[in-house]
Amino acid sequence: MKGVVFDILRDMVEEQFGLEGWNALLEKAGSDGLYLSSESYPDAEMTKLVVVACEFTGMEQEALLRHFGKYMVKQFYDRFPSFFDNCTGLLEFLASVDRIVHVEVLKLYPDANLPRFNYDQRPGSILMEYHSKRRMCWLAEGLILGSAEHFKEPIRITHEVCMHKGDESCHIQVDLVESDDG
């Protein structure tokens, strides 16, 4: 996993629990916390931090990864605003992840191990078929939820086909919904 993801995790933990919280998490995970953005680290390193963060916060792994994904969107926008600004809305942005966003990420980080998506897009919805050995579909859900917030488009996600249930891939259905404030 790329060091930039560790940087974003550190920022989230420090925002909510201070530097002391981050240091306590690192100590309990047995990590020195020295992560360089441009370097890659074993997935097991992130897994250890997530497990300890779940213990630390009392959150289930599914909820923690969704929360982290939502948080990551704000950080990604600060670092890569053109990915978002070049899209007219959420569904266009989601459909661009594999063919634009991941292509550009690989230019910056050629050894990044990114998930792969297949899409079935229809008016008002998109089905994203998620493929990754990491099985971090809940993080992908959080990224989708954070992106929906960014574009100010309310959505409903359904995720019945899932690798955590023994399926070969995850099917994340994203449907735009009518806003309650209009």
Side-chain angles (χ1 to χ4, degrees):
M1 184 153 290
K2 294 307 291 180
V4 68
V5 176
F6 289 90
D7 289 346
I8 294 170
L9 179 63
R10 181 200 62 233
D11 291 346
M12 183 182 83
V13 171
E14 283 185 8
E15 239 178 62
Q16 295 179 352
F17 300 102
L19 181 58
E20 304 80 24
W22 175 245
N23 288 334
L25 187 135
L26 291 175
E27 184 176 328
K28 189 163 185 172
S31 173
D32 61 15
L34 299 174
Y35 303 110
L36 301 175
S37 295
S38 60
E39 296 296 317
S40 290
Y41 298 91
D43 290 348
E45 184 78 10
M46 178 58 80
T47 301
K48 280 193 308 187
L49 291 174
V50 168
V51 167
V52 171
C54 288
E55 293 170 8
F56 194 75
T57 63
M59 294 175 77
E60 295 292 324
Q61 187 174 10
E62 184 176 337
L64 182 96
L65 287 171
R66 272 195 201 103
H67 179 71
F68 182 44
K70 286 175 70 173
Y71 183 86
M72 286 176 76
V73 170
K74 295 172 191 147
Q75 300 293 316
F76 286 158
Y77 182 76
D78 288 346
R79 295 168 194 226
F80 312 106
S82 65
F83 291 155
F84 297 85
D85 295 343
N86 290 333
C87 295
T88 59
L90 175 66
L91 297 181
E92 181 183 350
F93 173 72
L94 294 176
S96 77
V97 169
D98 248 10
R99 64 182 171 75
I100 296 174
V101 176
H102 285 173
V103 169
E104 294 301 317
V105 169
L106 287 171
K107 288 178 185 175
L108 295 170
Y109 307 108
D111 62 338
N113 182 6
L114 302 171
R116 187 174 45 83
F117 291 96
N118 295 325
Y119 303 95
D120 181 12
Q121 189 169 2
R122 297 173 186 203
S125 72
I126 189 168
L127 174 67
M128 300 177 72
E129 187 178 343
Y130 168 94
H131 301 270
S132 174
K133 291 180 182 176
R134 288 189 173 130
R135 298 172 17 130
M136 297 187 99
C137 52
W138 301 319
L139 180 67
E141 277 190 29
L143 288 161
I144 293 166
L145 290 165
S147 297
E149 288 177 6
H150 172 82
F151 286 102
K152 297 177 177 50
E153 295 184 44
I155 62 169
R156 178 180 50 254
I157 292 180
T158 52
H159 182 169
E160 295 173 10
V161 175
C162 183
M163 292 181 285
H164 295 281
K165 297 177 183 175
D167 297 306
E168 290 187 24
S169 64
C170 293
H171 294 190
I172 304 170
Q173 176 69 43
V174 180
D175 296 301
L176 299 179
V177 297
E178 293 295 318
S179 174
D180 292 335
D181 63 353

